[in-house]
Amino acid sequence: MAKINFAEVVEQICEKDLRYSSDAYHFVQEGLNHTLKSLKRAGQHAHRHVSGQELLHGLREFALKEYGPMSKAVLNEWGIKTTDDFGQIVFNLVNSSVLGKNETDSPNDFKNVFTFDDAFVKPFVPRNNTASVRKPSSTKAKKRTSTGSKKKKAGSL
């Protein structure tokens, strides 16, 4: 069996499906490798089947690691705006015999698993920590004013 040239297959897919850039497919491939390594580190078999949800969480982790607060913008630039888009990319690769699937796998496994705002924006939004912001109380402000005016009077005598 001839070895599949991933770049050539992606080029063919992108000619038929204009929704996603070739970078999106390369990202999914790298994200799958990242997910498999993460599962292996967690003590799971490295070459086992990865579910859609496991892959999505691995892709999320990989995007945050690679692109940080720019993750959502980068993915959007490639045409990926929802978890459903990841499913479409995965199944384009499945239909091109690059990835395998089992009988229960479906693009629906990727539907609305998380929002991109929750996954890629919220981790970088500063927390509202009112305890660290100290507002002067009105009593202290009055004391400063009255003390300042006493000093002024005392200085003018």
Side-chain angles (χ1 to χ4, degrees):
M1 185 195 307
K3 184 170 171 127
I4 295 174
N5 181 321
F6 186 78
E8 286 177 13
V9 172
V10 167
E11 189 178 314
Q12 292 169 1
I13 293 170
C14 289
E15 287 173 4
K16 295 176 192 169
D17 186 346
L18 304 175
R19 294 176 292 175
Y20 312 108
S21 80
S22 61
D23 291 328
Y25 290 90
H26 289 278
F27 173 80
V28 168
Q29 180 193 37
E30 291 173 26
L32 174 59
N33 291 335
H34 169 84
T35 303
L36 290 168
K37 287 177 187 174
S38 294
L39 292 171
K40 186 177 179 182
R41 280 191 301 270
Q44 297 185 31
H45 189 267
H47 296 291
R48 70 172 181 78
H49 178 76
V50 176
S51 73
Q53 290 202 359
E54 287 174 319
L55 178 56
L56 282 172
H57 291 290
L59 291 169
R60 176 187 178 276
E61 182 181 278
F62 183 62
L64 291 171
K65 177 182 166 205
E66 292 295 307
Y67 305 110
M70 294 299 299
S71 296
K72 182 180 176 187
V74 170
L75 294 171
N76 287 178
E77 180 69 24
W78 295 336
I80 305 170
K81 295 178 173 69
T82 67
T83 58
D84 301 28
D85 290 320
F86 280 125
Q88 293 300 309
I89 291 168
V90 166
F91 274 84
N92 282 346
L93 293 170
V94 166
N95 294 334
S96 297
S97 302
V98 173
L99 296 179
K101 74 174 197 80
N102 67 28
E103 61 281 348
T104 61
D105 289 334
S106 150
N108 289 331
D109 298 339
F110 294 85
K111 285 210 173 289
N112 303 316
V113 175
F114 52 77
T115 69
F116 275 29
D117 281 343
D118 286 342
F120 303 118
V121 176
K122 276 189 180 178
F124 300 101
V125 173
R127 291 198 172 110
N128 186 6
N129 191 354
T130 55
S132 66
V133 178
R134 236 178 123 181
K135 295 179 183 176
S137 69
S138 59
T139 313
K140 288 182 181 178
K142 285 180 185 175
K143 285 182 182 177
R144 282 190 204 117
T145 306
S146 63
T147 307
S149 62
K150 282 182 184 177
K151 285 182 183 177
K152 193 173 184 181
K153 286 180 184 177
S156 61
L157 284 176

Coordinates of all heavy atoms in Angstrom, one line a residue, residues 9-22 24-25 78-79 84-85 87-93 95-96:
V9 N -3.1 15.3 -0.1 CA -4.5 15.0 0.2 C -5.2 16.2 0.7 O -6.3 16.5 0.3 CB -4.6 13.8 1.3 CG1 -6.1 13.7 1.8 CG2 -4.1 12.5 0.8
V10 N -4.6 17.0 1.6 CA -5.1 18.3 2.0 C -5.4 19.2 0.9 O -6.4 19.9 0.8 CB -4.3 18.9 3.1 CG1 -4.7 20.3 3.4 CG2 -4.3 18.1 4.4
E11 N -4.5 19.3 0.0 CA -4.6 20.2 -1.2 C -5.9 19.7 -2.0 O -6.7 20.6 -2.4 CB -3.4 20.1 -2.1 CG -3.3 21.1 -3.2 CD -2.0 21.0 -4.0 OE1 -1.0 20.9 -3.4 OE2 -2.1 21.0 -5.2
Q12 N -6.1 18.4 -2.2 CA -7.2 17.9 -2.9 C -8.5 18.3 -2.2 O -9.5 18.7 -2.8 CB -7.1 16.4 -3.1 CG -6.0 16.0 -4.1 CD -5.7 14.6 -4.1 OE1 -6.4 13.8 -3.4 NE2 -4.7 14.2 -4.9
I13 N -8.5 18.1 -0.8 CA -9.7 18.4 0.0 C -10.0 19.9 -0.1 O -11.2 20.2 -0.3 CB -9.5 18.0 1.5 CG1 -9.4 16.5 1.6 CG2 -10.6 18.6 2.3 CD1 -8.9 16.1 3.0
C14 N -9.0 20.7 0.0 CA -9.2 22.2 -0.1 C -9.7 22.7 -1.4 O -10.4 23.7 -1.5 CB -7.9 22.9 0.3 SG -7.5 22.8 2.1
E15 N -9.4 21.9 -2.5 CA -10.0 22.3 -3.8 C -11.5 22.0 -3.9 O -12.2 22.7 -4.5 CB -9.2 21.5 -4.9 CG -7.8 22.0 -5.2 CD -7.1 21.1 -6.1 OE1 -7.6 20.1 -6.7 OE2 -5.9 21.4 -6.3
K16 N -11.9 21.0 -3.2 CA -13.3 20.6 -3.1 C -14.1 21.3 -2.1 O -15.3 21.7 -2.3 CB -13.5 19.1 -2.9 CG -12.9 18.2 -4.0 CD -13.0 16.8 -3.6 CE -12.2 15.9 -4.5 NZ -12.1 14.5 -4.0
D17 N -13.5 21.6 -0.9 CA -14.2 22.2 0.2 C -13.4 23.5 0.6 O -12.4 23.4 1.2 CB -14.2 21.2 1.4 CG -15.0 21.8 2.6 OD1 -15.4 23.0 2.6 OD2 -15.3 21.0 3.5
L18 N -14.0 24.6 0.2 CA -13.3 25.9 0.3 C -13.5 26.5 1.7 O -12.9 27.6 2.0 CB -13.8 26.8 -0.7 CG -13.6 26.4 -2.2 CD1 -14.3 27.4 -3.1 CD2 -12.2 26.2 -2.5
R19 N -14.2 25.8 2.6 CA -14.5 26.4 3.9 C -13.3 26.6 4.8 O -13.2 27.5 5.6 CB -15.5 25.6 4.7 CG -16.9 25.6 4.0 CD -17.8 24.6 4.8 NE -17.3 23.3 4.7 CZ -17.9 22.2 5.3 NH1 -18.9 22.4 6.1 NH2 -17.4 21.0 5.1
Y20 N -12.3 25.7 4.7 CA -11.2 25.7 5.6 C -9.8 25.8 4.9 O -9.7 25.2 3.8 CB -11.2 24.4 6.5 CG -12.5 24.1 7.0 CD1 -13.3 23.1 6.6 CD2 -13.0 24.9 8.1 CE1 -14.6 22.8 7.1 CE2 -14.3 24.7 8.6 CZ -15.1 23.6 8.1 OH -16.3 23.4 8.6
S21 N -8.9 26.5 5.4 CA -7.6 26.6 4.8 C -6.8 25.3 5.1 O -7.1 24.5 6.0 CB -6.8 27.8 5.4 OG -6.2 27.5 6.6
S22 N -5.7 25.1 4.3 CA -4.9 23.9 4.5 C -4.3 23.9 5.9 O -4.0 22.9 6.5 CB -3.8 23.8 3.4 OG -3.0 24.9 3.5
A24 N -5.7 24.6 8.6 CA -6.6 24.0 9.5 C -6.4 22.5 9.6 O -6.5 21.9 10.7 CB -8.1 24.3 9.1
Y25 N -6.2 21.9 8.4 CA -6.0 20.4 8.4 C -4.6 20.1 9.0 O -4.6 19.1 9.8 CB -6.0 20.0 6.9 CG -7.4 20.0 6.4 CD1 -7.9 21.2 5.7 CD2 -8.3 19.0 6.5 CE1 -9.2 21.3 5.2 CE2 -9.6 19.1 6.0 CZ -10.0 20.2 5.4 OH -11.3 20.3 4.9
W78 N -8.6 30.5 9.8 CA -8.5 29.3 9.0 C -9.9 28.7 8.6 O -10.0 27.7 8.0 CB -7.7 28.2 9.7 CG -6.3 28.5 10.0 CD1 -5.5 29.3 9.3 CD2 -5.5 27.9 11.0 NE1 -4.2 29.3 9.8 CE2 -4.2 28.5 10.9 CE3 -5.7 27.0 12.0 CZ2 -3.1 28.2 11.7 CZ3 -4.7 26.7 12.9 CH2 -3.4 27.3 12.7
G79 N -10.9 29.4 9.1 CA -12.3 29.0 8.8 C -12.9 28.2 10.0 O -14.1 27.7 9.8
D84 N -18.1 22.2 15.6 CA -18.6 21.5 14.5 C -17.6 21.5 13.3 O -17.5 20.6 12.5 CB -19.9 22.1 14.0 CG -21.0 22.1 15.1 OD1 -20.7 22.1 16.3 OD2 -22.2 22.1 14.7
D85 N -16.9 22.7 13.2 CA -16.0 22.8 12.1 C -14.8 21.8 12.2 O -14.4 21.2 11.2 CB -15.4 24.2 12.0 CG -16.4 25.3 11.6 OD1 -17.2 25.0 10.6 OD2 -16.4 26.4 12.2
G87 N -15.2 18.9 13.5 CA -15.8 17.6 13.0 C -15.8 17.5 11.5 O -15.5 16.5 10.9
Q88 N -16.1 18.6 10.8 CA -16.1 18.6 9.4 C -14.7 18.3 8.8 O -14.6 17.6 7.9 CB -16.6 19.9 8.8 CG -18.1 20.2 9.1 CD -19.0 19.1 8.5 OE1 -18.9 18.8 7.4 NE2 -19.9 18.6 9.4
I89 N -13.7 18.9 9.4 CA -12.3 18.7 9.0 C -11.9 17.3 9.2 O -11.4 16.6 8.3 CB -11.4 19.7 9.7 CG1 -11.6 21.1 9.2 CG2 -9.9 19.3 9.5 CD1 -11.0 22.2 10.0
V90 N -12.3 16.8 10.4 CA -11.9 15.4 10.7 C -12.6 14.4 9.7 O -11.9 13.5 9.2 CB -12.3 15.0 12.2 CG1 -12.3 13.5 12.4 CG2 -11.4 15.7 13.2
F91 N -13.9 14.7 9.4 CA -14.6 13.7 8.5 C -14.1 13.9 7.1 O -14.2 13.0 6.3 CB -16.1 13.8 8.8 CG -16.4 12.8 9.9 CD1 -16.3 13.2 11.2 CD2 -16.7 11.5 9.6 CE1 -16.6 12.3 12.2 CE2 -17.0 10.6 10.6 CZ -16.9 11.0 11.9
N92 N -13.7 15.1 6.7 CA -13.0 15.2 5.4 C -11.8 14.4 5.3 O -11.5 13.7 4.3 CB -12.7 16.7 5.1 CG -13.9 17.6 4.7 OD1 -14.9 17.0 4.3 ND2 -13.7 18.9 4.7
L93 N -11.0 14.3 6.4 CA -9.8 13.5 6.4 C -10.2 12.0 6.5 O -9.5 11.1 5.9 CB -9.0 13.9 7.6 CG -8.3 15.2 7.5 CD1 -7.7 15.6 8.9 CD2 -7.3 15.3 6.4
N95 N -13.0 10.7 5.2 CA -13.5 10.4 3.8 C -12.3 10.3 2.8 O -12.5 9.7 1.7 CB -14.5 11.4 3.4 CG -15.8 11.3 4.2 OD1 -16.1 10.3 4.8 ND2 -16.5 12.4 4.3
S96 N -11.2 10.9 3.1 CA -10.0 10.8 2.2 C -9.1 9.7 2.6 O -7.9 9.6 2.2 CB -9.3 12.1 2.2 OG -10.1 13.1 1.7

